[in-house]
Amino acid sequence: MSLKTKVKAGNITNLSDARYCAGMGVDWLGFPINSIDAKTLGEITGWVTGPQFILELSAGAIPESLSEYPVEFLQIDFKQLKEIPSSSNVRFIVKLSISDWVNAKVEITKNIDRISFLLLTDLNKSESSNQDILEEIQSYADIFIELDSSNYTLEEVLDLTVSGVGISGNQELKPGLKDYTKLAEVLEKLEVD
C-alpha cells in the first residue's frame, strides 16, 4: 500500500493499532514510554513488519532504561536534546511547537546531524506567517505536522511545505476489539489510487 505522504503514527499501545497502521503503509510507529514497557513493545514489534519504530519519551529527564527498547529512533522534546550526550548513536524525532522555533533554532541546528525530522505541533491557520516559518524550518530539517494539535485539515497540510504528517492511535476497547475510525479517516484519504 502506498500513501501520498510519509506518515508517523504515534501513541501506539497495542498490537491492533500497530498492525493496522503497518498494513496501511505508515513509515514509523511511535510507542509512548509512559504506556508501554520494553517487553510488550518487543512483543508488538515482533508481529509487525514495514515501519521503523520510535520510542516516544515524555518531557523531563531521560530514563536510563532506553537501551532495553527495540527501536531505531527516540522522539524527544527539543529541550531534551541537551540531556542526551552527543556521542550517542541514536537518531531523533524532535517534537516542537511551531511557536518555539525561534528559541529552539540554535539547539536544533547544532544537533541537526542527529535529527531525522521535526514533528511540529500547534500549527494554527490564523497565523499568517506559518508558511514563511515552515519554509525556514524545512531548510534545516524535514517537517511533519502533528494533525491532532493543528487546526488545519489534512488536505491543507498536504498543500504546505512539509514532508509528512503525524497521527495518533488510541486505546483498544478490549484486546482485539478496536475502533479504527480516527486512524482510517486520515489513512484512507492518503491512499494512492
Side-chain angles (χ1 to χ4, degrees):
M1 173 130 342
S2 284
L3 300 175
K4 293 175 188 172
T5 191
K6 293 185 183 284
V7 177
K8 182 250 176 194
N11 196 37
I12 303 297
T13 59
N14 56 73
L15 180 58
S16 298
D17 274 354
R19 291 182 70 182
Y20 178 76
C21 290
M24 291 297 287
V26 304
D27 301 280
W28 294 271
L29 292 176
F31 301 89
I33 195 168
N34 293 3
S35 302
I36 196 163
D37 60 45
K39 181 178 185 266
T40 304
L41 177 62
E43 290 169 357
I44 291 172
T45 58
W47 283 95
V48 177
T49 58
Q52 293 183 300
F53 305 123
I54 302 167
L55 184 61
E56 299 169 337
L57 302 184
S58 53
I62 305 294
E64 292 182 22
S65 62
L66 294 180
S67 62
E68 298 172 16
Y69 288 85
V71 296
E72 292 90 357
F73 301 91
L74 291 179
Q75 178 178 302
I76 59 175
D77 183 270
F78 86 92
K79 294 172 187 167
Q80 293 171 307
L81 273 172
K82 296 176 185 176
E83 298 176 36
I84 299 175
S86 59
S87 61
S88 169
N89 294 337
V90 178
R91 299 281 302 160
F92 300 111
I93 307 327
V94 178
K95 194 168 184 176
L96 174 71
S97 170
I98 193 163
S99 61
D100 287 334
W101 170 246
V102 173
N103 296 328
K105 185 176 177 178
V106 171
E107 196 64 34
I108 296 290
T109 54
K110 188 167 61 171
N111 288 282
I112 203 66
D113 59 327
R114 302 165 64 188
I115 298 172
S116 291
F117 62 85
L118 301 177
L119 181 62
L120 295 182
T121 64
D122 306 321
L123 195 64
N124 189 329
K125 279 194 269 193
S126 66
E127 298 294 324
S128 59
S129 62
N130 277 343
Q131 188 60 38
D132 293 338
I133 294 171
L134 290 173
E135 288 175 11
E136 179 185 358
I137 297 171
Q138 189 80 19
S139 71
Y140 292 97
D142 286 340
I143 300 172
F144 281 55
I145 302 296
E146 186 176 79
L147 291 177
D148 289 346
S149 69
S150 166
N151 68 356
Y152 281 79
T153 65
L154 175 62
E155 291 77 14
E156 291 169 330
V157 167
L158 295 176
D159 287 338
L160 297 171
T161 306
V162 297
S163 300
V165 297
I167 59 175
S168 294
N170 55 15
Q171 296 295 318
E172 285 182 305
L173 303 171
K174 62 181 184 178
L177 184 57
K178 182 80 177 109
D179 178 6
Y180 295 104
T181 306
K182 186 178 168 190
L183 289 170
E185 200 172 274
V186 174
L187 294 174
E188 289 175 5
K189 287 179 184 175
L190 288 174
E191 282 184 275
V192 174
D193 297 328

